[in-house]
Amino acid sequence: MLPKVLALVSIGRHPQSGRERRAEQDGRAVEMGLCLQERQLMHLSVAHAGNADSSVLRQYAGMGLSKLSVLAQQANEDVLSPLIDYVEAQQASMVLMGVRSEMGQSSGMLPYLLAERLGWPLLPRVAEIQSIEEGVAQVLLALPRGQRRLVSVALPFVATLDNAAKAPRQTAFGPGQRADIEVINTTSIADEVAAQWQFTPAKPRPKRMKVVKAKTAADRFKAATAKPVGGGGKVLKNETVEEKAQAIFDFLLEEKVIR
Amino acid sequence: MIFDWLIPSLIATLLVLAAIGALRRVNFWRAGQAEKVDMWAGLLAMPKRYLHDLHHVVERDKYMSRTHVATGGGFVLAMVLVILVHLFDIQSRILAWMLLAALGMMFCGALFVFKRRLNPPSRLSKGPWMRLPKSLLTFAITFFVLTLPAAGILPESLSLSNIGLTLVSLVLALLVLLSLGEMLFGMTWGGPMKHAFAGALHLAFHRRPERFGGGRSTGLKPANLGGESHGVAKPEDFKWNQLLGFDACVQCGRCEAMCPAFAAGQPLNPKKLIQDMVVGLAGGTDEKYAGSPYPNVPVGKASGSPQEIITEGLVSADTLWSCTTCRACVEECPMMIEHVDAIVDMRRFLTLEKGDTPNKGAEVLENIIATDNPNGYAPGSRTHWAADQNLAVMKDVKKAEVLFWVSDGAFDMRSQRILRAFVKLLKAANVNVAILGDEERDSGDVARRLGDDATFQSLAKRNLATLAQYKFSTLVTTDPHAFHCLKNEYADFDQAGALKDVEVLHHTTFLNRLIEQGMLQVDRFKGGKVTYHDPCYLGRYNGEYDSPRALLSSLGIEVAEMERSGYRSRCCGGGGGAPITDIPGERRIADMRMEDVAATGAELVAVGCQQCTAMLEGVVEPRPQVRDIAEIMAEHLVEQLVEHTVEGAA
Amino acid sequence: MTEHEDILRRDPRAEWIARNRLHPLHQAMTQVSAVVRGPSGLIRKNPHQVGFIGPNGIKRIDRLAGNGQTATGAKRRSSAAQEVTLPLHQVVEPNAYIIVVPDMAGGRLTAQDKDILGLAHELAKQRKALNADENLAVVAVCFGESKEAQFDEAGVDRLIHLLSAEYEGFAPEKRLQALLQIESIYQPKHWLFPDSVHGGTDLALRLAVKLDERPAAQAWQVSIDTTTCRAASGSQDIQRETPRILMILEECGQAIDETRHEVLPLALEVESSVEVRLEDKGLIAVDPNAVPLAEAEFILSAGNGIHNWQQFHDCAALLGATEGASRVAVDDGYMPRMRQVGASGTWVTARVYVAVGISGAIQHMQGIGQCDKIVAINTDAGCDMVKRADLAVIADSEEVLAVLCRLAQQHTGKTLEQTETTSEVSHVA
């Protein structure tokens, strides 16, 4: 029996149209699960806590899932305890999900709460699972600028997926439509704390201006109207090739991209 | 004499074998899916379809059309008479003379076939096709000799010795066996003559009967959504008459000569594709295929059967994704085979069932689903291009004479220049025009050609629902792809009749009418040589070759035509999602098309499509300039408000 | 500078010239006084006195009006500005704390960290206004080795510096344990974290779960009673009471720039170690070409002007740059489609972008819009890429790349073969 990986998916939001879609990182969680399954390391199941009628679930299923479980929940309900029950019932030994949901509070708390309540370690921003041998996984964490850190951790654990993880495969309409969407009824617990918060459409954030603390009005005026320095770069035309190359090389050294 | 029974029994045996073969072949086709066809009407219409429509296509090559009339006509007539004279032994001098005449005609035709095969062009298949002229000649000569006695030219009994007579009889019998074997047995057991048998039935049961009698049927058929599978996975998933159509192929290779992907060295050859479909429907391998291969793909490795998945061994997916759906092959096919239908059917399986659209395909489809445009722009920014255009929006005015369908060019800065030029012309002509604004969505063209019919149908239905809210008599668009969808493909989903009484026009057609009615005045074009590139979706898909040319001539331009123009125009490489799937080849199609342009010596190429503009402008400079006709017109527009100054200037 | 610099000195000669209208220098000397205060107190301008007669007998007007760098007064003023030492902000015997846990990416305070320190002081000021007895100190918690020299100017009143090696690298469990210890000792009023991919978010959430708090994530407007957070991928705002734990977005506070702070160490004894379940095996040397183009920091990009492709690939390997390409190079089949930079390819964010033989089609320039520094190597001095570049070299690309390859080899002391073998996955810890 292979150990089980559970990918938790949520309904995403397209940044341009605001329409529902597969959430970017949750899609990557399913993709990682499918890859682990194809490598015969784990067995994947996928669950969603929320509305079972969303067409986005069919898009997740279209990645090649025969079954998708839905813990029926309303939008303002706390999904934590039904999820914990579900993870325990499934006897999963790895839970994958996105860093933050694209709808709702987007606090990113869920994976941490799950890990805490299950007593499992949590890996943030995973890019790749390199191997799982004898219950110990070698995991690559994503760092900015494409850098990676190797971490080894024993199963079971919770992991959140970074955008650097393998992009989710294309969803196919046919299998998505035919997949079995299993609805599990759960007891609902309303989130009373969040109910007191005010949700409003996002106001545009003010762009930070370059604040000039000048003593005189003339100095402030000059700072506001002055052209940014270095509008035209340096152009090397008549130097020898050696000099030109040296100039580029020095520039790269100065910018610290060559170490 | 051995004659008396040997020849008739040979003919009878071969006829029986042919009949058995025919039944076997029919069973192959019946493995396909059901499709409603009016059998009797088709059969009755078949001779006319053959003599008129098919001949019309063959006629483009005069040499071949005459050769085929002589050979084919001679053979059909001769075969009927052979059965009457030699099988049923009807003693009639008139019949015998008729048979001799038919055989003579066939002989002449066959000689030309033979001549053609002495040094055949590369597009023709070799192999068994090389022996066909010899079989034809043998058939003509043998039966000519056999009929001489019946015609009374030779006496019934020759004064030869018995042995000599037997020898002659045996030789003749052998020749009869060889030639009739090719003509009858080969016809139904997969020889080159199969084309006559399958071709005749294909014409009778064609899936697009509208194409005959000068009609046009180019819209794709809607996919059935929601079943156990979508699209064509295995040969048996094709409709039965599609399978029949594949069998009709004569391997003349005209499609191959016209295919832009083949010329660019991408792994597609329409002829090979159809032959692979034949391999699939009958089972086996492509070892015997004797024509040009898919570029850079060796022949002999492909195998399939009606129950095996096509893309797993028979045809590679790259082959299917190389197609630009330009329809040059379909236009050129003398047997009226529908290559593009088959390719899109198979793509539907790859996209809808496998989720395997290559390269940017998946991303584009996802964008279309989430934002209603292929590049994922905010739907609310669709009308930004028209901020300074003061255009009426349907939501406000509810009705207008003309609805301008802007298409996704609204998001592209280059295409916006075309849109603005067209709006300038509309305003100059005082046309009562409105746009849908942000209510417009992608027409679904790209989704459909990439095989995602679910998304196409969803877009079509939503667009139609929007259109149904407003009143307009004409719909104009600058995008031939949207034009084709709206005009030819939306009808399948238009239950509410949103486009029922609406005339859907391409902007060149519409502008030409304005010019003809004197609503627009344009100056003479003062520039160098100009050529015109026919967009596939305007020309071959919708038969509009004249309006763009009329517009150019209204500017005083004499179009320096390219060698490939009109219905033989070469694709720019931008159709069918080809730039998205981006299958590597040896060259780029757009570069080849630009060479065509450069060969005319033109400094400017006029286009009627934003996609063509984008593709041709993507060719590295120096190259001729690329302009949409609307842009050229707008540059030369004579503003009518200042009539007196125009007089003064003149 | 001497301390007499600020004393105004009289110039009797100048005064005399100013009085004497017939003096040849009178006009030049008095032009500043074209603006005078009239008897009624209104500002008056004498248009005839504006400007002076230049050497060619043409009237010249200097619109810098005394602000020019050559103006005599300016020198004195600028030298005075350099001398300022910022006032020291002191917190004596603090009885309340706001704790900031900066990312310290690369061992230094990031711009976001500094903004958050500024925000912490803003909160402290607001609390002080409500309750004058509260003596609040802003504490920074710093893990591991630090190269930061200017904690004082960034607004750190107290510093908890945990130097032990066990906090280095990826050690969320250890760090969390330390934070919990701080919590129990100092009971801070607020915990401020940067909401960032450098680990701030991760640590904040771990702490919030342990303390059973509902933290504010992606907070961007914070006062002592209400906080506004972004939610639903930036499409919504949540307004809520300000919690104890906050994750702050970029540019949401004003970094300190007018005061210095004490940076007094706060002691912290971290006892019993926790069970470490996440074992850090160190950073992985990443093949620059395996870095996604959009994320890459240093891109060497090839266009139509490249003829020797092997040399280009070698050069990229030697310099340790990620390879990019223009559309034409991709169309011609020299580079894979995934390497295409531009509007129809990848939008890149590199810090340094070296464009070799790319003249800069508009779509390409769009794609590199977010790059910091551009270096162009091109034969056409008039092309758009050269105009945009911070450093442009007009030369044949092959020759320049050849020299660059040699320089890179000399610099690293490596040959190409060695770089290739080391670019295999190896551990750099």
Side-chain angles (χ1 to χ4, degrees), chain B residues 143-465:
Chain B
F143 278 95
F144 198 85
V145 172
L146 281 171
T147 315
L148 288 179
I153 295 172
L154 278 183
E156 287 284 330
S157 50
L158 285 170
S159 53
L160 279 172
S161 64
N162 253 355
I163 299 166
L165 201 63
T166 316
L167 212 63
V168 169
S169 312
L170 281 176
V171 168
L172 282 173
L174 186 69
L175 290 175
V176 166
L177 186 68
L178 281 178
S179 60
L180 265 189
E182 176 82 279
M183 307 309 284
L184 290 181
F185 182 78
M187 185 180 285
T188 60
W189 289 86
M193 284 306 289
K194 184 186 69 177
H195 79 270
F197 163 61
L201 293 177
H202 169 58
L203 288 180
F205 307 136
H206 199 282
R207 199 159 170 235
R208 294 176 181 273
E210 306 87 353
R211 282 186 70 192
F212 301 107
R216 195 171 288 280
S217 166
T218 52
L220 292 173
K221 310 268 181 195
N224 258 335
L225 299 179
E228 272 309 295
S229 182
H230 296 88
V232 167
K234 313 166 198 145
E236 63 177 14
D237 293 338
F238 281 113
K239 305 289 181 205
W240 69 270
N241 48 1
Q242 282 180 290
L243 294 177
L244 166 58
F246 302 144
D247 253 350
C249 175
V250 275
Q251 302 195 37
C252 66
R254 288 189 187 198
C255 47
E256 162 188 323
M258 298 313 288
C259 178
F262 180 78
Q266 288 174 289
L268 171 64
N269 174 349
K271 178 174 85 174
K272 173 74 164 63
L273 180 80
I274 297 300
Q275 285 314 305
D276 282 348
M277 294 300 108
V278 173
V279 167
L281 76 93
T285 71
D286 68 342
E287 276 164 339
K288 295 201 190 76
Y289 175 73
S292 333
Y294 299 126
N296 303 320
V297 179
V299 172
K301 303 262 161 59
S303 69
S305 80
Q307 292 82 30
E308 277 175 63
I309 292 190
I310 294 171
T311 45
E312 291 171 7
L314 189 55
V315 176
S316 91
D318 278 358
T319 297
L320 302 177
W321 295 115
S322 294
C323 177
T324 65
T325 69
C326 74
R327 234 183 134 75
C329 50
V330 183
E331 184 73 36
E332 206 65 14
C333 179
M335 295 309 276
M336 308 192 118
I337 297 170
E338 296 282 347
H339 310 67
V340 175
D341 281 1
I343 287 174
V344 175
D345 280 341
M346 289 184 275
R347 284 184 179 185
R348 282 178 182 167
F349 171 72
L350 292 176
T351 295
L352 292 176
E353 285 299 323
K354 304 273 277 190
D356 202 3
T357 320
N359 291 324
K360 290 227 163 188
E363 188 188 322
V364 163
L365 290 176
E366 205 150 319
N367 281 337
I368 295 178
I369 292 170
T371 62
D372 297 332
N373 69 75
N375 291 308
Y377 293 110
S381 65
R382 189 178 275 276
T383 329
H384 285 185
W385 71 275
D388 56 347
Q389 300 291 311
N390 196 18
L391 274 170
V393 179
M394 271 296 186
K395 209 176 190 175
D396 306 329
V397 294
K398 302 292 179 204
K399 71 177 195 185
E401 267 168 49
V402 177
L403 171 68
F404 173 26
W405 182 275
V406 178
S407 85
D408 293 331
F411 296 108
D412 176 65
M413 287 170 85
R414 174 65 184 91
S415 306
Q416 286 168 7
R417 299 221 298 263
I418 303 174
L419 300 176
R420 289 204 191 93
F422 182 56
V423 170
K424 184 179 172 192
L425 295 169
L426 290 176
K427 281 185 180 158
N430 281 323
V431 178
N432 176 4
V433 64
I435 57 171
L436 283 179
D438 292 345
E439 287 186 293
E440 193 183 301
R441 295 173 189 86
D442 177 60
S443 63
D445 169 72
V446 171
R448 180 162 244 203
R449 308 309 134 183
L450 289 178
D452 190 348
D453 226 42
T455 302
F456 169 77
Q457 293 186 16
S458 143
L459 282 169
K461 285 173 189 159
R462 286 183 288 147
N463 274 326
L464 284 165

Side-chain angles (χ1 to χ4, degrees), chain B residues 9 33 52 85 122 231 300 316 320-321 324 380 446 465 541 560 583 595 606 646:
Chain B
S9 52
Q33 304 299 304
H52 178 261
V85 174
S122 69
S316 91
L320 302 177
W321 295 115
T324 65
V446 171
Y541 274 83
I583 303 299
E595 277 166 26
V646 172

Side-chain angles (χ1 to χ4, degrees), chain C residues 98-104 109 113 117 138-144 151 156 158-162 167 175 178-179 182-183 186 188 191-193 203 266 268:
Chain C
I98 290 181
I99 301 213
V100 176
V101 187
D103 276 332
M104 308 284 296
L109 290 172
D113 292 339
L117 285 164
V138 172
V139 184
V141 180
C142 172
F143 294 106
F151 280 120
V156 177
R158 299 288 186 273
L159 179 68
I160 300 177
H161 198 159
L162 297 158
Y167 299 110
R175 291 181 179 198
L179 296 187
I182 295 170
E183 165 76 17
Y186 296 104
W191 285 94
L192 304 187
F193 292 83
L203 210 50
L266 272 191
L268 183 73

Side-chain angles (χ1 to χ4, degrees), chain A residues 130 140 148 150, chain C residues 283-287 420-428:
Chain A
Q130 284 192 326
L140 281 185
R148 299 283 181 269
L150 185 66
Chain C
L283 288 173
I284 297 292
V286 181
D287 175 10
E420 267 163 19
T421 47
T422 48
S423 69
E424 300 288 311
V425 175
S426 62
H427 298 216
V428 184

Side-chain angles (χ1 to χ4, degrees), chain A residues 248, chain B residues 620, chain C residues 300-309 311-312 324-330 332 334 353-361 364-365 374-380 383-386 391-401 404:
Chain A
I248 294 177
Chain B
V620 179
Chain C
L300 187 70
S301 197
N304 209 19
I306 293 269
H307 303 292
N308 185 345
W309 285 91
Q311 184 199 37
F312 170 77
S326 74
R327 187 190 60 81
V328 177
V330 173
D332 289 348
Y334 293 117
Y353 185 85
V354 184
V356 191
I358 302 177
S359 51
H364 195 88
M365 302 310 275
I374 311 278
V375 179
I377 304 178
N378 212 302
T379 47
D380 176 10
C383 68
D384 287 340
M385 186 62 80
V386 169
L391 173 65
V393 157
I394 313 301
D396 180 61
S397 65
E398 195 165 342
E399 294 171 11
V400 177
L401 287 187
L404 267 181

